[in-house]
Amino acid sequence: MTDTVTTSPTSLVSAPAQQNRLPAKALLGLFLAGFISILTECLPAGLLPEMSETLGTSVSLTGQTVTLYALATALGAIPLARVTATWRRKQVLQVALAVVAVTNALTALSSDYALTMVLRFVAGLGTGLIWPLLGGYAARLAPQGRQGRAIAIALAGTPIGLALGIPLGTLLSHLGGWELAFHAAAALTALTIAWVLVAVPNLPGRPVDSRFKISQVLAIPGLRPILFALATYMVAHNLLYTYITDLLAYEGMAGQTGWILFTFGATSVLSVLVVGAHIDQHLRRLTVSSTVLFGAGVLVLGEASGTLILVYVAVAAWGFAFGSSPSLFVGAAINATRDAADVAQSITITVFSASIAVGGFLGGLLIAGLGATWLTWAALALLIAAAATVLGGKRHAFPRNG
């Protein structure tokens, strides 16, 4: 299936791991693959009015292009990883990126809603191949004892793509229409395919390990608490991020949306730099800090009542907490499952992607039924559950020695 990795001394690494430095060019290729995947997913969120006009549908229906993409990724992660388990890793990555590039280009040309939805579903399947691949690929390329940092770099494209996807799409739409945003995404994907071809070593695949069925892996001590914490954390994030424009409009700060999103993105990048330097030694402490800081930021955001400086502080805390969260939860799942880490990674990516879809769906229900102000309180309740799970998982899920 996907590559087995762990941050423990017993992890299996490839020849480049004999060196003492991280393979920067290769990790950049993996970073870009993750960035493009999440950029493609959330791109329509900043283009909904323009896209809905072209497609002849409502904004809410057009918004389902984001939900369907995440759903396809969630559905495809496990079966596609099994089908491609024995393929060489670079070939899998390039095929998946090619699918994303072609579907982005065709989406830009489509004026039919049904066709656009089909294209978005296929693009999501491409991402379903990419995400489970990145962590294991990065760890196999990394030196001994620095796998956690390599995973953090490879997966950093996800939070940065989330932070930049909406503002980039909006900017490009203003310059040349929503179609330009998708053409640009297709072009960037094509450039990434070329970079991967040149800079990323082509590691062999591995046969599916018949010892580990999904039900058996889910029974491993620690994994289910990790998945629960991940799900509650990511649903909380997507409740807020998907509808950040509505939330800021409620706060009377619609005109600040661009700068607030920039603040989120900047602190997300800072998080990658800070957490990446310490993830191998302090996984538990960093995960606890991430959930608590995110919760504190949401609490401040809920109480900001239109106070500009408090909103910026809250969003900065949220961005810093979220920036390296994918690396933290994937790393915890890998460490908890050891030899079954390849299966665990696919399960983790499925939960991650499903949480994006669920967060967007529940956020829409909350706004329609109770109003934007309830987004923060629903997110806070979820984060309290996530923090309690992380704090309580000190034996298997998030052990004290991590």
Side-chain angles (χ1 to χ4, degrees):
M1 206 166 171
T2 52
D3 301 303
T4 303
V5 299
T6 176
T7 56
S8 72
T10 60
S11 63
L12 181 63
V13 293
S14 61
Q18 298 173 4
Q19 304 173 2
N20 193 35
R21 61 180 182 177
L22 292 172
K25 293 180 180 179
L27 291 178
L28 176 59
L30 301 182
F31 167 90
L32 287 172
F35 175 81
I36 285 166
S37 298
I38 199 68
L39 174 69
T40 300
E41 177 169 319
C42 62
L43 197 56
L47 310 170
L48 293 181
E50 297 86 352
M51 287 184 68
S52 63
E53 184 176 346
T54 301
L55 299 175
T57 58
S58 66
V59 169
S60 60
L61 279 176
T62 305
Q64 299 312 304
T65 57
V66 178
T67 303
L68 187 66
Y69 187 107
L71 181 62
T73 301
L75 293 174
I78 293 175
L80 289 174
R82 285 185 175 274
V83 169
T84 60
T86 58
W87 296 16
R88 296 188 70 83
R89 300 295 84 189
K90 184 187 289 190
Q91 273 66 54
V92 176
L93 187 56
Q94 289 180 309
V95 167
L97 287 169
V99 168
V100 174
V102 171
T103 50
N104 275 336
L106 292 176
T107 299
L109 300 174
S110 173
S111 59
D112 181 80
Y113 180 72
L115 175 60
T116 298
M117 293 295 279
V118 170
L119 291 170
R120 292 291 292 172
F121 188 85
V122 175
L125 292 178
T127 296
L129 270 175
I130 293 171
W131 278 353
L133 180 70
L134 298 180
Y137 211 153
R140 290 176 67 187
L141 293 171
Q144 184 71 26
R146 303 187 74 182
Q147 291 91 343
R149 187 174 300 186
I151 292 171
I153 293 171
L155 297 183
T158 298
I160 294 174
L162 281 170
L164 298 181
I166 293 177
L168 278 177
T170 303
L171 174 62
L172 290 171
S173 177
H174 289 160
L175 293 175
W178 70 267
E179 296 90 347
L180 177 62
F182 278 93
H183 280 309
L188 179 60
T189 308
L191 290 174
T192 300
I193 292 172
W195 182 268
V196 169
L197 178 64
V198 173
V200 180
N202 195 5
L203 302 181
R206 292 172 177 168
V208 176
D209 194 332
S210 59
R211 292 178 300 164
F212 302 113
K213 297 181 179 179
I214 292 175
S215 58
Q216 294 173 313
V217 176
L218 287 172
I220 294 175
L223 182 59
R224 281 176 293 181
I226 293 168
L227 295 177
F228 178 79
L230 170 63
T232 50
Y233 189 107
M234 287 304 303
V235 170
H237 168 79
N238 285 284
L239 278 174
L240 297 172
Y241 195 79
T242 304
Y243 298 97
I244 186 66
T245 302
D246 300 84
L247 183 59
L248 293 176
Y250 173 81
E251 297 277 0
M253 299 181 185
Q256 294 286 321
T257 301
W259 286 109
I260 288 173
L261 288 173
F262 174 80
T263 300
F264 179 90
T267 53
S268 293
V269 174
L270 180 61
S271 173
V272 171
L273 298 175
V274 173
V275 172
H278 303 285
I279 190 172
D280 288 301
Q281 296 80 28
H282 304 292
L283 182 62
R284 173 181 170 79
R285 294 178 185 176
L286 291 170
T287 311
V288 170
S289 298
S290 177
T291 53
V292 172
L293 181 61
F294 189 2
V298 171
L299 179 60
V300 172
L301 190 61
E303 294 289 346
S305 300
T307 306
L308 186 62
I309 186 63
L310 288 180
V311 171
Y312 272 96
V313 169
V315 171
W318 170 17
F320 189 80
F322 180 77
S324 290
S325 58
S327 305
L328 295 172
F329 287 109
V330 169
I334 288 170
N335 286 344
T337 55
R338 302 292 177 174
D339 291 340
D342 53 352
V343 183
Q345 283 181 89
S346 294
I347 296 172
T348 302
I349 295 303
T350 298
V351 171
F352 183 93
S353 301
S355 299
I356 294 176
V358 170
F361 177 73
L362 291 180
L365 291 180
L366 283 171
I367 286 179
L370 299 172
T373 185
W374 282 90
L375 293 173
T376 52
W377 303 120
L380 182 60
L382 289 165
L383 288 167
I384 290 172
T389 303
V390 173
L391 286 167
K394 53 192 173 184
R395 183 175 181 185
H396 297 294
F398 305 96
R400 289 178 180 270
N401 60 351

